Amino acid sequence: MAVGRITKALSGFYYVENEDGVFQCRGRGNFRKRKISPLVGDWVTFESSNHTDGYVLELADRKNELVRPPISNVEQAILVFSVTQPTFNPVLLDRFLVHVEANDVTPIICLSKIDLLSEIEEEAIAVYSHIYQTIGYEVVQTSVYIEETLEKLKPYLQNKVSVFSGQSGVGKSSLLNALKPGLNIETNEISKSLGRGKHTTRHVELISLNEGGYVADTPGFSSLDFEGIEAEDLSHYFPEMISRINDCKFRGCLHVNEPSCAVKKAYEEGIIAAHRYEHYLQFIDEISSQKRRY
């Protein structure tokens, strides 16, 4: 028996990689009986007499498990958001940040297509970059046509398992192609009428990088719901709020209409960015609406 990591799952086969190469495996029949599905990113015990006829026997415990994309043991998420074409979308970025924080994954904000910025757009992006950096997030500005920006991104990928996620059409696949020439991941141009790209990624796969890490190019999402996230927990996924929760007068404060709320006070004083607090209120409403539907 051997140990390796699943780097690709396709058509019922699991491709397991270790120091001896990549092994094509099937899952044991009892996985289905136990309602267990091996995922890309899983560390597994497997047996194989050659590189094409193996069986995954056991799964190791997971650090985390993402539903969209279906992948496990992710260490960080590179959240790719274009500064233009399509227009920078801070509410969608905050949605992604909430989901990443909730899954104990470290987010890196990657602002793509900076070569297309107008002077006015550049000023607005600088403001947003400063806000997120002040919160404590790493922000990297990139363009596939400016090599020095790619060099700034590469250190974040070293010896890490990362997912590239973000809205369709922001250039995730183009970035990966630029980071590892020869990948030739399919890309599509932005639809002029819709202002967004078409989905081009068909399956989840961990791609080995020269920096010693792995990245997954994952499908773009136009929206993310908050299923599984409770209203009273939402502020835990806003770093600038969680540091003030203990100063609120009431335990379980939702930071909406409660008196003596430290979070709301910080917002009113301009310490918490207006758009972040407004998105928080929007997300609270969505979570409440979901609960009413069920």
Side-chain angles (χ1 to χ4, degrees), residues 88-99:
F88 177 64
N89 190 334
V91 67
L92 189 58
L93 172 57
D94 286 342
R95 285 179 183 274
F96 271 95
L97 287 169
V98 166
H99 282 271

Side-chain angles (χ1 to χ4, degrees), residues 24-148:
Q24 179 178 279
C25 300
R26 292 189 180 274
R28 281 179 65 177
N30 65 2
F31 282 142
R32 190 173 300 168
K33 294 175 187 173
R34 291 154 60 192
K35 296 184 178 178
I36 297 174
S37 293
L39 295 176
V40 170
D42 276 340
W43 284 98
V44 300
T45 302
F46 70 100
E47 63 180 7
S48 182
S49 57
N50 54 56
H51 285 267
T52 58
D53 296 298
Y55 284 89
V56 174
L57 306 176
E58 290 293 338
L59 308 185
D61 290 340
R62 293 166 178 159
K63 176 192 172 187
N64 53 40
E65 176 185 336
L66 305 185
V67 177
R68 293 182 298 181
I71 190 170
S72 68
N73 298 319
V74 174
E75 295 171 272
Q76 63 182 12
I78 312 299
L79 303 181
V80 184
F81 277 73
S82 58
V83 293
T84 187
Q85 298 183 26
T87 305
F88 177 64
N89 190 334
V91 67
L92 189 58
L93 172 57
D94 286 342
R95 285 179 183 274
F96 271 95
L97 287 169
V98 166
H99 282 271
V100 167
E101 295 275 6
N103 283 283
D104 192 28
V105 176
T106 300
I108 307 293
I109 299 171
C110 176
L111 302 178
S112 63
K113 305 186 182 181
I114 62 167
D115 57 294
L116 300 177
L117 278 177
S118 68
E119 195 170 316
I120 294 175
E121 289 171 327
E122 191 172 341
E123 291 174 3
I125 290 299
V127 171
Y128 278 117
S129 294
H130 177 71
I131 288 170
Y132 286 101
Q133 286 170 328
T134 300
I135 292 169
Y137 291 118
E138 297 285 347
V139 180
V140 186
Q141 297 190 15
T142 63
S143 165
V144 295
Y145 303 109
I146 305 175
E147 180 63 30
E148 64 190 53

